[in-house]
C-alpha cells in the first residue's frame, strides 16, 4: 500500500490523502532535492503546520521539538543521499504548545530522469503509544528503584537492629532501675520521675528509627515535595550510623548553613544519597584507619541551585572503569549488581540535576549531586 | 544491699544506655562509673580498685574486644562482661576464650546483668585473694638464702636430706639446718604444705627440666 502510494498525479495524491486521512494517516511527498514538501491536510494537522500554502524544510524543522531537530535535519540530508526508505520517530510542538509524537515512514523512488527521484511517506500520531510506553518504563524504573531500596534496607538491617537495640536497652534498664527505686524505702519520687522521662525519650528515639526505616521502604509515588536537603542528609547518615560503627568508619558531615529548599521526591533522593554513601563506605572498607572517613557536604550554588557531595578516601576509580560507571550492570564489586549508579543517575536526571564522580585530593572519589532549587518541570516522574 | 566496695565500670558509646545502666547498678548498691570510649576507660583504669567492666562490643575507635586485649596485655585481670547489640558467634567465642565473665545480648535484662556482675565480683574477689597470697609466698621465697632456695627445690622434688647433701656436695647435718630455716621462713611445718605453696607460684622442683631451662630458678 505504501509503495503504491508513491508517485502518481495530483488527483491521485489527493484521493490517497483523503483515504489516508480517514485512516488517521498523514501523507507527504518531496520531489528530488527540493526544499519544499507537499503535505496532506491531515499531515499538516499532525505537524501543526498551516493548512494552506507551501511547506518548507525549515517550517518542518521549526515545528519539530528542539531535542529532535538535529536528528530530523540529518534525516532530510540522508533522504537525498541514500536510497533506502526509513522509519523515524520524532516530537513536534504544536503552536498551542502541545507536544506530539509522530512516526514517519518513507520510501524513495527513482523518477523519469537519470538523477531524478522523489521521496514520499506517511505520518502517524503515536503520542498515545509513546505515553503508554513511557508510563510502563516509568513504572518499571520505579519498581527497580524500589527493589534496590529494599535490598539496601536488608543490607542495613543488622545496623538498624543495632540502632533500635540501643534505645530498647536504655528503656529496659531504666524501667528495671525504676522498679528497684520504687521498692526501696524511702523512695525518691523525683528521681523515679526522671527515669520515667528518660524512658519516654528513648521510646521516641526508637520510634524515629522505625520512621526512618519506613521512609526507606516506602514505595515512591513520584510526588514532588519541598525538601530540606540538610535534613535529608542527616536522616540518611543516621540510617548508616550503626553500619559505620561496626565497620570502624567515621561518617562526618559539613552541611551548608543557608541552604535553599529544593523540590523533588524525597524517597528517591534519599535512595541516591544512601547509594553514594554505601559506595563510599565499601570503597574505604579495606583502607587503613586514617583513611576510613566519609564526608558528606552540602552547599548552595546560588542561582545554580545546591550541591551535595560525598567524599571518600578509598583507592579511587580505575581509569578504564571510569567511562563505564553509569552503564547498567557494570560493576567492580564482587557481589554488586551494577545497577546502583545507573539508577542514581536516572533519578538525578529526572530531577533536572546532574551526578558526577571525580577523583579527589585524598586519592579517593567524590560524588557530586547538583540540583536546581526550583525544578522547572512539575513533578519529576 | 550495699556492695560499695565493688565498682562497676560501664563502657558504651551511647550516653542514654550508659545513664540507664548506671542507674540500674546503682539501684542495686554498686558504685558505678561511666566511660563513653575504651580509651577513656583505659586511661582512667586503676587495676588496684576492685571492680568489673561492663563493655559494649561495637564502639567507634577501640572496640570492646580490643579493650579486653589491652587489659590482658597489661596483665590486668579485671573481669569483663560484654554486652552487644550485634552479637556474632565469632565475637562471643573470642570474648569468652579470652576470659570474659559473660557475653550478654542487648537489650540486656537487668537481672541477667546483675547476676553476671555478682559472678564477676566473686571472681574478682578470688583473683585478688589468690594474687595477694601469691605475693606473700613470693615475698617469703625472696627472703631465702641461695642455699636455702636450692634445698627447697630439692625438698619439693621429694629428695631425702642425704640425697640433697650428696647433690650439693655437703653433709646431711648442714642440709638439716638449711632445711629447718627454710621451712621456718616459708611458714610451713610439712613438706605437703610447702609443695602446695610453691605450686601456687609455679615454682619448679629440682630436676623438672623443660627445653631451654637452666636448672632451678626463682620465680619472681
Amino acid at each position: 500500500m505504501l509503495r503504491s502510494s508513491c508517485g502518481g498525479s495530483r488527483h491521485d495524491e489527493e484521493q490517497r490523502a483523503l483515504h489516508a486521512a480517514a485512516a488517521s494517516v498523514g501523507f507527504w511527498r518531496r520531489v528530488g532535492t527540493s526544499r519544499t514538501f507537499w503535505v496532506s491536510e491531515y499531515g499538516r494537522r499532525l505537524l501543526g503546520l498551516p493548512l494552506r500554502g507551501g511547506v518548507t524544510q525549515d517550517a518542518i524543522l521549526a515545528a519539530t521539538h528542539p531535542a529532535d531537530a538535529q536528528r530530523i535535519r540529518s534525516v532530510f540530508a540522508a533522504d537525498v543521499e541514500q536510497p533506502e526508505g526509513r522509519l523515524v520517530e520524532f516530537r513536534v510542538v504544536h503552536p498551542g504548545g502541545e507536544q506530539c509524537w509522530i512516526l514517519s515512514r518513507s520510501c524513495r523512488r527513482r523518477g523519469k530522469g537519470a538523477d531524478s527521484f522523489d521521496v514520499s511517506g506517511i505520518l502517524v500520531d503515536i503520542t498515545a503509544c509513546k505515553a503508554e510506553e513511557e508510563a510502563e518504563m516509568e513504572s518499571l524504573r520505579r519498581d527497580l528503584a524500589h527493589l534496590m531500596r529494599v535490598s539496601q534496607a536488608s543490607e542495613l538491617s543488622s545496623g538498624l537492629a543495632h540502632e533500635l537495640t540501643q534505645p530498647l536497652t536504655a528503656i529496659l534498664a531504666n524501667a528495671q532501675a525504676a522498679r528497684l527505686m520504687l521498692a526501696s524505702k524511702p523512695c525518691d519520687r523525683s528521681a523515679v520521675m526522671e527515669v520515667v522521662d528518660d524512658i519516654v525519650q528513648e521510646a521516641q528515639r526508637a520510634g524515629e528509627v522505625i520512621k526512618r526505616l519506613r521512609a526507606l521502604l516506602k514505595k515512591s509515588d513520584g510526588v514532588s515535595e519541598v525538601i530540606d536537603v540538610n535534613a535529608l542528609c542527616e536522616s540518611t547518615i543516621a540510617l548508616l550510623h550503626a553500619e559505620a560503627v561496626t565497620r570502624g568508619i567515621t561518617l562526618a558531615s559539613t552541611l551548608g548553613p543557608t541552604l535553599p529548599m529544593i523540590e523533588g521526591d524525597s524517597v528517591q533522593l534519599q535512595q541516591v544519597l544512601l547509594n553514594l554513601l554505601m559506595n563510599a563506605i565499601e570503597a574505604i572498607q579495606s583502607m587503613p584507619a586514617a583513611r576510613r572517613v566519609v564526608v558528606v557536604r552540602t552547599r548552595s550554588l546560588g542561582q545554580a541551585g545546591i550541591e551535595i557531595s560525598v567524599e571518600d578516601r578509598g583507592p579511587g576509580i580505575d581509569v578504564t572503569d571510569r567511562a563505564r560507571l553509569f552503564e547498567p550492570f557494570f560493576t567492580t564489586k564482587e557481589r554488586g549488581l551494577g545497577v546502583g549508579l545507573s539508577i542514581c543517575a536516572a533519578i538525578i536526571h529526572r530531577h533536572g540535576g546532574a551526578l558526577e564522580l571525580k577523583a579527589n585530593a585524598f586519592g579517593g572519589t567524590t560524588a557530586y549531586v547538583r540540583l536546581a532549587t526550583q525544578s522547572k518541570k512539575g513533578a519529576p516522574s | 544491699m550495699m556492695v560499695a566496695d565493688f565498682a562497676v565500670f560501664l563502657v558504651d558509646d551511647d550516653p542514654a544506655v550508659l545513664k540507664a545502666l548506671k542507674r540500674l547498678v546503682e539501684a542495686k548498691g554498686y558504685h558505678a562509673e561511666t566511660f563513653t570510649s575504651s580509651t577513656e576507660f583505659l586511661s582512667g583504669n586503676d587495676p588496684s580498685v576492685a571492680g568489673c567492666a561492663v563493655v559494649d562490643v561495637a564502639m567507634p575507635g577501640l572496640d570492646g574486644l580490643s579493650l579486653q586485649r589491652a587489659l590482658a596485655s597489661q596483665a590486668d585481670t579485671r573481669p569483663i562482661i560484654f554486652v552487644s547489640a550485634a552479637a556474632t558467634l565469632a565475637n562471643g567465642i573470642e570474648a569468652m576464650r579470652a576470659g570474659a565473665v559473660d557475653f550478654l545480648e542487648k537489650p540486656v535484662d537487668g537481672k541477667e546483668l546483675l547476676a553476671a556482675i555478682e559472678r564477676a565480683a566473686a571472681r574478682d574477689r578470688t583473683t585478688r585473694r589468690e594474687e595477694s597470697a601469691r605475693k606473700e609466698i613470693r615475698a617469703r621465697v625472696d627472703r631465702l638464702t641461695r642455699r636455702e632456695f636450692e634445698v627447697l627445690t630439692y625438698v619439693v622434688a621429694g629428695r631425702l636430706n642425704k640425697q640433697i647433701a650428696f647433690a650439693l656436695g655437703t653433709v646431711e647435718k648442714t642440709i638439716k639446718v638449711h632445711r629447718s630455716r627454710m621451712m621456718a621462713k616459708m611458714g610451713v611445718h610439712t613438706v605437703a604444705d610447702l609443695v602446695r605453696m610453691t605450686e601456687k607460684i609455679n615454682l619448679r622442683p629440682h630436676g623438672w627440666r623443660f627445653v631451654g631451662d637452666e636448672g632451678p630458678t626463682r620465680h619472681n
Side-chain angles (χ1 to χ4, degrees):
Chain A
M1 182 236 169
L2 273 179
R3 265 177 193 286
S4 65
S5 70
C6 294
S9 70
R10 172 147 284 227
H11 177 72
D12 289 343
E13 269 167 5
E14 277 168 5
Q15 275 293 316
R16 277 171 200 138
L18 207 62
H19 292 310
S24 295
V25 176
F27 185 54
W28 61 270
R29 184 164 173 240
R30 173 193 189 188
V31 180
T33 56
S34 153
R35 293 182 74 84
T36 58
F37 290 69
W38 175 84
V39 181
S40 72
E41 193 185 317
Y42 187 74
R44 288 168 188 250
R45 277 190 217 281
L46 286 182
L47 295 174
L49 296 171
L51 297 182
R52 305 255 163 247
V55 176
T56 62
Q57 188 170 307
D58 289 341
I60 293 173
L61 283 172
T64 305
H65 190 283
D68 294 339
Q70 190 54 46
R71 203 153 48 85
I72 296 305
R73 192 170 286 128
S74 61
V75 167
F76 284 149
D79 274 345
V80 175
E81 284 149 21
Q82 294 152 9
E84 67 268 18
R86 63 193 80 249
L87 199 64
V88 187
E89 285 179 4
F90 62 105
R91 281 163 291 178
V92 292
V93 182
H94 287 179
E98 194 193 332
Q99 192 175 301
C100 202
W101 271 98
I102 304 288
L103 168 81
S104 164
R105 187 189 277 261
S106 66
C107 66
R108 195 168 98 148
R109 271 177 69 101
R110 205 193 290 267
K112 288 189 183 86
D115 281 338
S116 83
F117 66 93
D118 58 40
V119 186
S120 54
I122 57 158
L123 299 169
V124 184
D125 184 347
I126 54 165
T127 309
C129 287
K130 276 281 172 191
E132 209 172 286
E133 217 172 86
E134 188 55 36
E136 201 175 310
M137 282 292 292
E138 180 49 36
S139 121
L140 280 175
R141 264 203 294 264
R142 225 178 268 169
D143 285 350
L144 183 59
H146 179 68
L147 276 179
M148 201 177 84
R149 266 198 304 283
V150 172
S151 90
Q152 269 172 343
S154 76
E155 247 176 81
L156 292 176
S157 60
S158 71
L160 285 166
H162 179 263
E163 280 308 88
L164 264 184
T165 306
Q166 292 294 73
L168 285 179
T169 304
I171 290 169
L172 189 55
N174 273 325
Q176 286 175 322
R179 222 171 178 289
L180 288 172
M181 288 159 85
L182 287 170
S184 74
K185 281 176 187 141
C187 163
D188 183 347
R189 284 182 62 88
S190 69
V192 175
M193 200 66 101
E194 212 178 285
V195 179
V196 173
D197 284 345
D198 280 358
I199 291 176
V200 171
Q201 200 182 322
E202 289 306 299
Q204 279 164 346
R205 177 175 153 203
E208 286 300 317
V209 176
I210 304 273
K211 263 187 220 157
R212 281 202 289 271
L213 180 64
R214 261 209 207 121
L216 183 68
L217 288 174
K218 200 171 86 179
K219 210 160 179 183
S220 156
D221 44 15
V223 168
S224 186
E225 59 200 308
V226 176
I227 300 169
D228 176 349
V229 172
N230 281 349
L232 192 74
C233 286
E234 272 165 7
S235 76
T236 311
I237 290 169
L239 266 175
L240 287 168
H241 173 256
E243 189 74 22
V245 169
T246 41
R247 295 196 193 204
I249 283 163
T250 308
L251 263 184
S253 62
T254 313
L255 305 180
T258 52
L259 215 58
M261 299 289 218
I262 63 156
E263 249 179 69
D265 182 329
S266 64
V267 177
Q268 292 188 355
L269 288 180
Q270 179 172 51
Q271 175 170 10
V272 172
L273 261 177
L274 204 52
N275 202 277
L276 296 177
L277 276 162
M278 286 297 281
N279 281 351
I281 287 173
E282 275 169 36
I284 57 173
Q285 181 76 345
S286 46
M287 285 294 176
R291 290 184 65 173
R292 285 213 293 275
V293 180
V294 176
V295 188
V296 179
R297 290 191 181 83
T298 58
R299 65 187 181 114
S300 168
L301 300 175
Q303 290 287 321
I306 59 119
E307 180 187 82
I308 309 168
S309 65
V310 179
E311 168 198 291
D312 70 52
R313 299 178 187 184
I317 297 164
D318 200 82
V319 186
T320 51
D321 295 338
R322 197 160 295 167
R324 305 186 59 195
L325 280 181
F326 296 103
E327 227 172 78
F329 308 114
F330 173 76
T331 185
T332 57
K333 293 177 198 164
E334 215 165 279
R335 286 172 51 229
L337 282 175
V339 293
L341 275 180
S342 64
I343 290 180
C344 289
I347 290 173
I348 297 300
H349 184 74
R350 263 173 286 146
H351 278 77
L355 171 63
E356 200 183 354
L357 269 74
K358 277 187 189 164
N360 63 33
F362 300 102
T365 308
T366 306
Y368 296 92
V369 173
R370 290 188 197 90
L371 292 163
T373 38
Q374 276 193 326
S375 77
K376 283 167 193 91
K377 290 186 266 170
S381 51
Chain B
M1 175 171 140
M2 275 306 281
V3 262
D5 57 332
F6 189 74
V8 178
F9 303 104
L10 301 160
V11 191
D12 196 308
D13 61 314
D14 192 317
V17 170
L18 272 184
K19 197 174 169 192
L21 290 178
K22 184 178 197 291
R23 274 188 190 128
L24 182 66
V25 296
E26 278 178 348
K28 236 348 190 187
Y30 292 99
H31 168 71
E33 280 178 44
T34 58
F35 305 88
T36 52
S37 75
S38 298
T39 31
E40 195 194 328
F41 167 69
L42 285 172
S43 68
N45 181 39
D46 176 0
S48 70
V49 176
C52 71
V54 176
V55 181
D56 185 22
V57 177
M59 285 184 286
L62 211 60
D63 66 19
L65 295 175
S66 307
L67 186 153
Q68 187 182 31
R69 282 191 288 271
L71 281 184
S73 74
Q74 294 163 15
D76 190 329
T77 55
R78 189 178 297 298
I80 299 177
I81 298 160
F82 282 104
V83 284
S84 171
T88 64
L89 189 59
N91 277 346
I93 290 172
E94 191 188 337
M96 294 310 281
R97 268 204 186 138
V101 175
D102 213 335
F103 193 94
L104 304 170
E105 263 187 273
K106 278 184 185 175
V108 51
D109 178 57
K111 283 197 194 94
E112 265 184 67
L113 179 65
L114 293 169
I117 290 173
E118 261 172 52
R119 282 203 303 283
R123 187 199 281 190
D124 195 54
R125 269 194 300 278
T126 314
T127 335
R128 281 174 200 281
R129 203 167 44 226
E130 279 171 1
E131 182 51 36
S132 77
R134 272 197 297 275
K135 239 186 191 161
E136 175 56 30
I137 296 165
R138 281 194 210 107
R140 287 180 194 178
V141 170
D142 283 345
R143 283 199 293 273
L144 300 178
T145 63
R146 187 175 160 68
R147 213 358 96 90
E148 283 163 1
F149 179 72
E150 274 175 336
V151 171
L152 180 146
T153 62
Y154 282 101
V155 171
V156 294
R159 299 289 186 274
L160 301 172
N161 285 348
K162 58 182 163 196
Q163 290 173 310
I164 304 171
F166 179 75
L168 297 178
T170 179
V171 292
E172 201 179 337
K173 208 173 156 192
T174 317
I175 294 302
K176 267 188 178 166
V177 175
H178 286 311
R179 181 173 179 155
S180 70
R181 279 198 198 128
M182 179 272 286
M183 294 292 274
K185 280 184 180 173
M186 291 303 289
V188 289
H189 297 291
T190 66
V191 173
D193 284 343
L194 184 69
V195 170
R196 255 197 299 281
M197 203 179 242
T198 53
E199 264 177 355
K200 277 188 186 155
I201 60 166
N202 292 325
L203 194 138
R204 276 179 222 131
H206 182 80
W208 286 28
R209 285 178 179 237
F210 299 98
V211 179
D213 270 5
E214 301 286 332
T217 48
R218 278 178 191 228
H219 191 289
N220 271 324

